[in-house]
Structures are given as C-alpha cells and as structure tokens.
Amino acid sequence: VAERLVVIGGDAGGMGAASQARRLRADLDIVALERGGRTSWSACGIPYLVGGEVDHLDDLVVRSPEVFRERLDIDVRLHQEATALDLDRREVEVRDHGVGRTLRLGFDQLVLGTGARPRRPDLPGAERDCVFGVQTLDDAEALLAHARDSGHSQVVVVGGGYIGLEMAEAFTHRGAHVVVIERQPEVMGTLDPDMGALVSDAMRRNGIDVRCGTATLGFDEGVVRTEAGDVPADLVVLGLGVVPNSELAGDAGIALGAGGAVAVDDRQKTSVEGVWAAGDCCESAHLVSGVKVHVPLGTVANKQARVAGTNIAGGNARFPGVVGTAAVKLCATEVARTGLSEREAERAGIDHAAARIDGTTRAGYLPEAPSLTVKVVAERKSGRLLGAQIVGGSGSAKRIDVVATALHAGMTAGQVSWLDLAYAPPFSPTWDPVLIAARKAAEQAAQAGPGR
Amino acid sequence: VAERLVVIGGDAGGMGAASQARRLRADLDIVALERGGRTSWSACGIPYLVGGEVDHLDDLVVRSPEVFRERLDIDVRLHQEATALDLDRREVEVRDHGVGRTLRLGFDQLVLGTGARPRRPDLPGAERDCVFGVQTLDDAEALLAHARDSGHSQVVVVGGGYIGLEMAEAFTHRGAHVVVIERQPEVMGTLDPDMGALVSDAMRRNGIDVRCGTATLGFDEGVVRTEAGDVPADLVVLGLGVVPNSELAGDAGIALGAGGAVAVDDRQKTSVEGVWAAGDCCESAHLVSGVKVHVPLGTVANKQARVAGTNIAGGNARFPGVVGTAAVKLCATEVARTGLSEREAERAGIDHAAARIDGTTRAGYLPEAPSLTVKVVAERKSGRLLGAQIVGGSGSAKRIDVVATALHAGMTAGQVSWLDLAYAPPFSPTWDPVLIAARKAAEQAAQAGPGR
C-alpha cells in the first residue's frame, strides 16, 4: 500500500503542500479534502471582483480540482469537511456534505491547511444576513448576490485594515456611498498613526467617508449602530482581520501558538510527528522581533506550503520566516509596510528612533511626479534597521521590498542608505527616497535619544 | 587665513562634495570652478527635455549658482576652466573664459569633479556639426537648436546603450524617423544578448528602426555610412558611452585606474593627500566582482560626493561601492540590471548558472497585467547571487532593487527566493517573479554544470 498524505483545506496552504509533495514524490497517495466547492482561489482578488476589474468569480481560481486531479494525480474531494482528528489511529473524521455521510480516512502524513475566517465582532446583530466577511469565493458569491438584490447604495465597512480599504474602494467603484468605521484614531493599524493619517486622508479624497475613533456597537435592519450615532447600511463588510481555523488541531491536542494559530517549527512541522501545517491556520517566525506571529497572507502561505511539501517528500526545507511585509492599493494611493513600526518596536521593548521624509517616485522635474512619504525605524545606538512604512502615489509600494530584503539580511539603516538602487528619471530621483529616509533614521538612531 | 577647498566641476561630483563639506564645516573657504555656465544639472533629464516632457532647459538645473552662493556660501565661478594642477605648490591654473585671462588659485584641499564626456568614435566626420554627444546642458541646447533648424525628420542614434535608447525614444516622441545603429548583436550591451533581444524587439514595436550587428563607418553630409549601406540623417546622436575627464589629474601625476578614471580609495581620496575625486571622472569598487570599475552614473556621483565632502570636513565616511545597478525606460518597456551578467561572470572567471522566467508585474487575473522577463545569475555550487536582468512592462524595473540589496548583503540566490516581499494584486503575483527566478537560478546552480 502506498504511503498516504491527507491534506485538509483546498487553498494555498493545503494544495501548495500537496503539489510540491507530488512533484518530488510520484508514489505518494494524496487525498485533499475541501469543505467548499473550489480549490486554490485568490481571496486577495475578491475586492477586484467586487469592484468590477475582474469579470468572473472563476477568474480567481488559480487551479481547479480537475487540474489537480488530472495533472498532479491528487484525489481532490470537494464538500468534504474534516470534523475531527484521531492522532492515535492516524485517521481523519470526514463529513461528506455531498451525500450527508461521515467517514474515517487514514493517513500516514497530514497537512493542516484549514486557513482562517473573518473575525466577527461580539456585537448584537453580527450574524445578520447583511453582514459579510470576505475570505472564500463562497463569501464573495453571497456578497455579490446580496449587493445585486439590495441595491447597495449605502455600504458600511467595519474596520480600516487591508481588506477594509480594498472593499471600500471596490464599492466606491460600484457607485456606492461607502462609510468606513474604525475604532482606532487612524485606519491601517499596522502603520504608525502619523502614516495611517495619510491613508485616512487619501480615502477621504477618494470620496470615502472615514470615521476614525468610532466604536461600532451593533447591527440592525438597514443600520450600523456606532458610538457616534447610526449609519445607514444596505450591506456591511467586516474588515476586522481573521482568526485561524485551528480548532480541529487544538481539539486533537496539537499545540497552538501565536494568535491561537497552529504552532510549527521552521520545517512547518506541528507538535505531532508527521502532521504539518501551512498557510493562514499556522504561525510564522518574525525575523526582526524574534517572536512567533500569525501573518495570514497568501505570500506566506505559498512559501510555507512549499516547505511543508518538500519535507513531506523527504526533503529538508526550512522557512526562514517573515519580516511583516504587506501592501495595499487604495485608488491611486499605495501603502506598504515591513518590519516593526515605532509602536511595535516600543511594545517589543526596543529603544528606537525614526525618520520620516517626503519625496517623489520619479525625478522631480518630470510632469506629475507622484509624491510619497517614507518612514524608517532603526534601533538606537546599533543603528539596526527595524522597519519602514510608505504611503504615496504610483511607484511607492514595491519600494518597501528594499527594506524587507535589508531586514532579512540584518542590515543597519546606515548600510541601507548607501545601496546601489536603480535610477532613471521615470523611476526615481537620484537619491531614492528610501535611501534618504534610511540615512536620516541612521542619524537619529546615532544621537542620544530619550532612551528607556 | 581660512583653509581653502577648491572644487573643479560644477555638477554632482564637485558641488555635492562642496555642499556636504559646507554643511559640516562653516569655516572652510570654498571655491567651485565650472567651465560652463550652469551648476548641478541633471544630464539624465536631457532625453526628457528633447522628448518634450520637460519644458525648459532650466528645469533640469537642480541648484543654480546663486543658490550655492547665497545659501551655502560657496564661491561658484562660472566659465572658469582648470587647465593644470601644480601639486607641489598646491595651485590650480585657471583659464577665465569670461575675461580671457589665466590665473592661479591656491588650495589646501581639492576635489576633482570633472565628469565625463561622450565617447566620439575615431571615424571620418565624427566631429561634424550634426553629430551630437549628450552630456551637458550646453550639449542639449546645441542639439535642440540644430533639431529646430534641421527639421530633424531623420535621426540616427549610433550605439544602443542607455542614452541611445532614451534619445531614440525622445526623437520618436518628436515625430522623427529614428534609426539606431548598434555594432553588437543586440542593443543594451550591459545585458546578456537573450535579454537585449527583448529590448530590441520593444524598440521595433515602438517604431524605432533598430539595426544590430552593424558597424558605423563614418559621417557625411546628411548621411551615416555603415557596413550595411548609407542611412539618411539630419541629426546624429552618439550613444557610445562616456570617457572620464581625467587628463587634468593624469597630467599632474595623480594615479588613474579603471577605464582611465581617477583612482580613489573608499574615502574618495586620490593618490595625492588632500586631493579627492567624485563622480563620473573617477572609479568605483564593484562589490560583486571585487574589482575597480568606471560607473558614470548620477546615483554613484552623488554618493561619492557625499563621502568626499564628509571626509574633507574631517569626518570618516566610506563609499561601500557599487553593484552595477542601472535602469532605463523605453516607451512602455522598462529595463534594469544589477550585478554581473552571464557574460560578465564568464569574463570574471566565475563558474555560474542562470535562469530566466516570464511572469507578470501584477496578479495575472487583473486586466492587462504587464508581462516581464527576469533572469538571475548565480555562482555554481555556492549558490551566491551574482546578478539579475529584467525587461518588462510597468512595474518591472524597480524590482531589480531587491537583487541589488541582496548583492550588497552577499546573499545566495536561494535566500533571495524566500524573501518576504510586498504583495497585493495590483503590485505582484503572490510569488514575485524575482523570487521565482532566484529559486530557479539556485536550482540550476546546485546542479553539476558544464564547469570550467
């Protein structure tokens, strides 16, 4: 009998691991369980579907079940939900929603790729039909159906994070009046407030009604209740982040870690031999802070899946970890961050300095050179680079990659300031704004600061 | 009497050093000699002036003589050319073209910022009035005057490097028929031919008549003579690179180095105590090949100038060196390179492998996601990253900065493949194409290759 790999979850984490294992080992018997009706979709693409830039839901399917079955010989089973793990017997209890039956499936190795789900606030009415989280294509389908039926002239987004921003833009594209309710003083809580304020401003310039510092109290027929009064709403989108689907693992006694996600080592192994995890359901190591974090992003999921799949096939791959890079586009404004913000450095107990500069993404003498603001954070005395945040026009966001790469390499802000980056007038001023911000952060870090 | 710093050359190298020295030392007597009539101009902006994106010549002046005089107390002397150095007496012989007089100016410290000049081929007619190099704003002024007078319906660019490409595009914008004559098999000789071919193709798609593998034989009235016959030309632009203006230094006995440029250490000091050099007239250390090179780029000039100015003021700055990063935009096509090409690795005697991949700069499901090609070169066995080349649509060129940063850090291609880069559908596929190319290069490098 062939060794059997069972994969739970049909998106990036699970199917990425299954595919990589298959590439390296033709002899494995691979079964993939997906409780929904699709595989390998791009959840990140949903706002573009809602906004009308992507025409069809199926355009967001990267690889269909048929492709996995035919090209990779992976036994994809749709509408089958893993309901329990028996680690002693090495069996998964599976509910087959298609035929309404429960069965048990043995495994030699197991991948948890159960993903995450939108965080629902513990507020009255949070389970109402008009309140949508956006994570799966089924979510997107339901949301779009409701939007068509309700007319969606009034949309309220609760939470001003990445998804909140993208969904706010998407509904603005559809002609809706969009209100974003954010409890914090500024949107984009993963930025420092001074940078988040630039994003709030950009949203307002784009006609989005942003109400920061406002707590949501509940949801009722046609209305979102907030501290600052009721806001009319045909449709509500939750942008409060996600929680890992780790109950299956936790109930079976597999160790959980950061943010309640499945704990893994750098080979993506869980606390149980032969059981692996990848993607939004599990944690990652943060290379700057040195602690485990839960970073539910597609980029991380794909990398972890590759590592897990390689190791399942007998290889020895290690996931180096994350530096906390993320980006989002809001109309013409690009937002990106990596490493630690000032706030995060403070929480981590790292004595730090920061510098913020304004610049342009092209040579200043070119017409309509987009402006941008770059903030760099560095450790005092050592000058070690800690992170950066960028908000600006076209050509801003991917500049963060220089800082992300430098964080992986453990560079100082001073070292970053001398990097030989690409220059031509349409791409950059002669001193790239990232270099200038890094230099100023290095100068700040070298000065005697407030200390701790 | 105050210590006197004399700066020769009024562009980035000289004025950058003068400005930095002034910032750090208020007491210095600083005299800057410029043989032309302007200071601190952007030579890189000339194609955009010719193409009509920049309206006025003066828009390309970053800092005027008045600003240097008034804000930085630098005694800028225009139309004064340094004709000889007397290092024993610490004097510069200066020809004042304004009043037609020669004088001698003493110095305590000296900065050579003499720049570079367009390479003129040793061919019949190369000195004709219709044959233009493009380096100074005076060059640009003369070129534009000739273009207005000649009607410039037929423009020939000799040499398909950065400047050649940009000037070809500029004249295409002006409605001219443009022919590019390139002796090598493809344009962009700093790329490998497989990548250069993509650029040649892009030029042809943009209506530029590119004739590769064709030697230019000479210039005559209204015609450029080539191996493959005569090409009509109202105006000829030289795109054959530049040669450093190092004769002044060489004649005075200052050591010359790579490409005939002034030799400097990492503090920008020449072979003579108290004499410094910065910018296109001097060499740089290449961090990947470990040898000295002549890289006449504005980014390098600005950095070297800052280092020289800091050291002149008594500081201890060091220029870490270059990794050979450069970029150019040709209509909608972006081109970038860093580190060593395969050809350069071969010449350097480094056993190497390479991988080339096609991808997109945005998520593939977004409409009109621009395509790009990324090539990564790595050292065999060690997997050390050696360089990369990118040709593609919008969002391609600045991706090279990840590789440039990784080269500074001495990373392997394998390490690059796991970098936590920024992702959102408008900015990248989940696996950034740079990561995929790096992974494939690492795989190639790990295999037993042809060896050496």
Side-chain angles (χ1 to χ4, degrees):
Chain A
V1 183
E3 184 179 334
R4 183 187 287 158
L5 167 65
V6 171
V7 168
I8 303 176
D11 200 3
M15 299 314 292
S19 303
Q20 177 68 359
R22 167 60 74 227
R23 274 181 221 116
L24 301 176
R25 270 189 67 182
D27 65 309
L28 268 184
D29 172 20
I30 308 181
V31 179
L33 306 170
E34 164 56 37
R35 65 178 172 183
R38 296 185 180 87
T39 53
S40 289
W41 61 90
S42 170
C44 317
I46 294 173
Y48 303 91
L49 178 73
V50 172
E53 287 183 69
V54 173
D55 290 333
H56 303 289
L57 203 83
D58 288 337
D59 294 344
L60 298 184
V61 175
V62 183
R63 260 194 191 148
S64 69
E66 292 71 36
V67 172
F68 283 114
R69 287 180 191 130
E70 287 159 25
R71 291 208 215 141
L72 289 167
D73 189 25
I74 294 170
D75 179 4
V76 177
R77 303 185 186 175
L78 300 177
H79 306 293
Q80 301 216 4
E81 182 172 4
T83 47
L85 302 180
D86 185 334
L87 294 174
D88 293 331
R89 295 189 178 182
R90 312 281 292 178
E91 284 179 351
V92 186
E93 182 187 279
V94 182
R95 180 71 186 168
D96 183 338
H97 294 294
V99 297
R101 199 171 53 184
T102 296
L103 48 114
R104 295 176 76 89
L105 180 67
F107 64 83
D108 297 293
Q109 301 202 63
L110 183 71
V111 174
L112 301 169
T114 46
R117 60 183 180 276
R119 187 185 301 277
R120 286 211 173 240
D122 186 17
L123 293 174
E127 302 299 327
R128 293 182 73 94
D129 282 351
C130 65
V131 181
F132 292 89
V134 191
Q135 185 70 9
T136 67
L137 293 190
D138 289 344
D139 294 341
E141 207 158 26
L143 174 82
L144 283 168
H146 182 92
R148 271 189 298 270
D149 296 347
S150 70
H152 68 282
S153 63
Q154 298 279 348
V155 173
V156 172
V157 176
V158 178
Y162 301 95
I163 298 289
L165 261 63
E166 288 175 338
M167 292 303 289
E169 176 182 357
F171 276 104
T172 302
H173 280 185
R174 290 174 74 96
H177 176 251
V178 179
V179 179
V180 176
I181 312 281
E182 167 61 52
R183 199 175 49 179
Q184 299 299 319
E186 300 295 346
V187 296
M188 289 293 294
T190 60
L191 306 182
D192 286 318
D194 58 332
M195 298 297 286
L198 301 176
V199 184
S200 300
D201 289 348
M203 295 176 77
R204 293 186 182 114
R205 279 199 306 277
N206 283 288
I208 298 167
D209 183 351
V210 181
R211 303 186 190 178
C212 295
T214 304
T216 300
L217 302 178
F219 308 91
D220 215 331
E221 187 63 32
V223 79
V224 175
R225 306 215 184 277
T226 81
E227 297 183 303
D230 289 356
V231 183
D234 304 319
L235 192 155
V236 178
V237 179
L238 296 174
L240 297 167
V242 297
V243 289
N245 292 323
S246 55
E247 292 80 359
L248 186 72
D251 290 349
I254 295 171
L256 303 185
V262 177
V264 289
D265 65 11
D266 64 354
R267 299 181 73 234
Q268 298 304 126
K269 195 172 77 59
T270 69
S271 61
V272 174
E273 204 58 44
V275 180
W276 313 81
D280 292 1
C281 68
C282 76
E283 63 180 13
S284 304
H286 196 297
L287 292 174
V288 183
S289 67
V291 300
K292 294 294 183 90
V293 289
H294 180 224
V295 179
L297 290 176
T299 46
V300 176
N302 275 287
K303 293 186 184 103
Q304 291 177 332
R306 192 173 175 90
V307 168
T310 301
N311 293 329
I312 287 163
N316 187 18
R318 291 176 190 276
F319 180 52
V322 301
V323 294
T325 312
V328 65
K329 186 162 178 287
L330 176 87
C331 303
T333 299
E334 302 185 358
V335 182
R337 57 97 65 217
T338 191
L340 306 182
S341 63
E342 280 200 274
R343 193 163 37 189
E344 289 168 337
E346 180 119 4
R347 278 191 207 134
I350 302 173
D351 192 10
H352 65 277
R356 195 178 73 227
I357 62 118
D358 295 319
T360 55
T361 65
R362 318 172 70 193
Y365 51 77
L366 289 182
E368 294 164 30
S371 62
L372 88 173
T373 301
V374 181
K375 180 174 181 174
V376 170
V377 183
E379 187 174 42
R380 273 197 199 278
K381 290 182 191 152
S382 75
R384 179 170 67 112
L385 183 69
L386 293 176
Q389 301 156 56
I390 301 178
V391 177
S394 174
S396 295
K398 283 294 266 180
R399 279 183 150 81
I400 206 76
D401 286 349
V402 165
V403 182
T405 305
L407 287 172
H408 274 270
M411 284 185 176
T412 63
Q415 286 174 321
V416 171
S417 75
W418 295 108
L419 291 174
D420 188 13
L421 302 186
Y423 160 70
F427 304 135
S428 181
T430 37
W431 286 102
D432 193 287
V434 170
L435 302 185
I436 298 176
R439 192 211 313 141
K440 292 197 185 279
E443 289 167 359
Q444 289 296 319
Q447 285 170 17
R452 299 188 61 83
Chain B
V1 182
E3 185 179 334
R4 181 188 286 157
L5 167 65
V6 171
V7 168
I8 303 175
D11 200 2
M15 299 314 292
S19 303
Q20 177 68 359
R22 167 60 75 227
R23 275 181 219 115
L24 301 177
R25 271 190 66 182
D27 65 310
L28 269 184
D29 171 21
I30 308 181
V31 178
L33 307 170
E34 165 55 39
R35 64 180 171 182
R38 295 185 181 85
T39 52
S40 289
W41 60 88
S42 170
C44 317
I46 293 173
Y48 302 90
L49 178 73
V50 172
E53 286 182 72
V54 174
D55 290 333
H56 302 291
L57 203 82
D58 288 338
D59 294 344
L60 299 184
V61 175
V62 183
R63 261 193 190 150
S64 69
E66 293 70 37
V67 171
F68 283 114
R69 287 179 190 130
E70 288 159 25
R71 289 205 217 145
L72 288 168
D73 189 25
I74 294 170
D75 179 4
V76 177
R77 303 184 185 176
L78 301 177
H79 307 294
Q80 301 217 4
E81 181 172 6
T83 47
L85 301 180
D86 185 335
L87 294 174
D88 293 331
R89 295 190 179 182
R90 312 288 283 183
E91 285 179 351
V92 187
E93 182 186 282
V94 183
R95 181 69 185 168
D96 183 337
H97 295 294
V99 297
R101 201 172 49 185
T102 297
L103 49 114
R104 295 175 75 90
L105 179 67
F107 64 83
D108 297 293
Q109 301 203 62
L110 183 72
V111 174
L112 300 169
T114 48
R117 60 183 180 273
R119 187 184 301 277
R120 288 213 170 237
D122 186 18
L123 293 173
E127 301 299 326
R128 292 181 74 93
D129 282 351
C130 65
V131 181
F132 291 89
V134 190
Q135 185 70 8
T136 66
L137 293 189
D138 289 344
D139 294 341
E141 206 158 25
L143 174 83
L144 283 168
H146 182 93
R148 271 189 298 270
D149 296 346
S150 72
H152 68 281
S153 64
Q154 299 278 345
V155 172
V156 172
V157 175
V158 178
Y162 301 95
I163 297 290
L165 261 63
E166 288 175 337
M167 291 303 290
E169 176 183 357
F171 276 105
T172 302
H173 280 185
R174 289 174 75 97
H177 177 250
V178 179
V179 180
V180 175
I181 314 282
E182 168 61 54
R183 200 172 51 179
Q184 299 299 319
E186 299 294 346
V187 297
M188 289 295 294
T190 60
L191 304 183
D192 286 320
D194 58 333
M195 297 296 285
L198 301 176
V199 184
S200 300
D201 290 348
M203 294 177 78
R204 291 185 183 114
R205 279 199 307 276
N206 283 288
I208 298 168
D209 182 351
V210 181
R211 305 188 188 175
C212 295
T214 304
T216 300
L217 303 177
F219 309 89
D220 215 331
E221 186 62 34
V223 78
V224 175
R225 306 213 184 280
T226 81
E227 295 183 305
D230 290 355
V231 184
D234 304 318
L235 192 156
V236 178
V237 178
L238 297 174
L240 298 168
V242 297
V243 289
N245 292 324
S246 55
E247 291 81 358
L248 186 72
D251 290 348
I254 295 171
L256 302 185
V262 178
V264 288
D265 66 12
D266 65 354
R267 301 181 73 233
Q268 299 304 125
K269 195 172 76 62
T270 69
S271 60
V272 175
E273 204 58 44
V275 180
W276 314 81
D280 292 2
C281 68
C282 76
E283 64 182 12
S284 304
H286 196 298
L287 292 174
V288 183
S289 66
V291 300
K292 294 294 183 92
V293 289
H294 180 225
V295 179
L297 290 176
T299 46
V300 176
N302 276 286
K303 292 185 183 102
Q304 291 177 332
R306 194 175 173 89
V307 168
T310 301
N311 293 329
I312 288 164
N316 186 19
R318 291 176 188 277
F319 180 52
V322 301
V323 295
T325 313
V328 65
K329 185 161 178 288
L330 176 87
C331 303
T333 299
E334 301 184 359
V335 183
R337 57 97 64 217
T338 192
L340 305 182
S341 64
E342 281 201 273
R343 191 160 43 184
E344 289 168 336
E346 179 120 5
R347 278 192 207 133
I350 302 173
D351 192 9
H352 65 277
R356 197 179 68 227
I357 62 118
D358 294 319
T360 54
T361 64
R362 317 172 72 193
Y365 51 77
L366 288 182
E368 294 165 25
S371 62
L372 89 173
T373 302
V374 181
K375 178 173 182 173
V376 170
V377 184
E379 187 174 41
R380 270 197 202 281
K381 290 182 191 155
S382 75
R384 177 170 67 114
L385 181 71
L386 294 175
Q389 300 156 57
I390 301 178
V391 178
S394 176
S396 295
K398 282 295 265 179
R399 281 183 148 81
I400 207 78
D401 286 350
V402 165
V403 182
T405 305
L407 286 172
H408 275 270
M411 285 183 175
T412 64
Q415 287 174 319
V416 171
S417 74
W418 295 108
L419 291 174
D420 187 13
L421 302 186
Y423 160 71
F427 304 136
S428 181
T430 37
W431 285 102
D432 193 288
V434 170
L435 302 185
I436 298 176
R439 190 211 313 143
K440 293 197 184 279
E443 289 167 359
Q444 289 296 319
Q447 284 169 19
R452 297 190 59 83

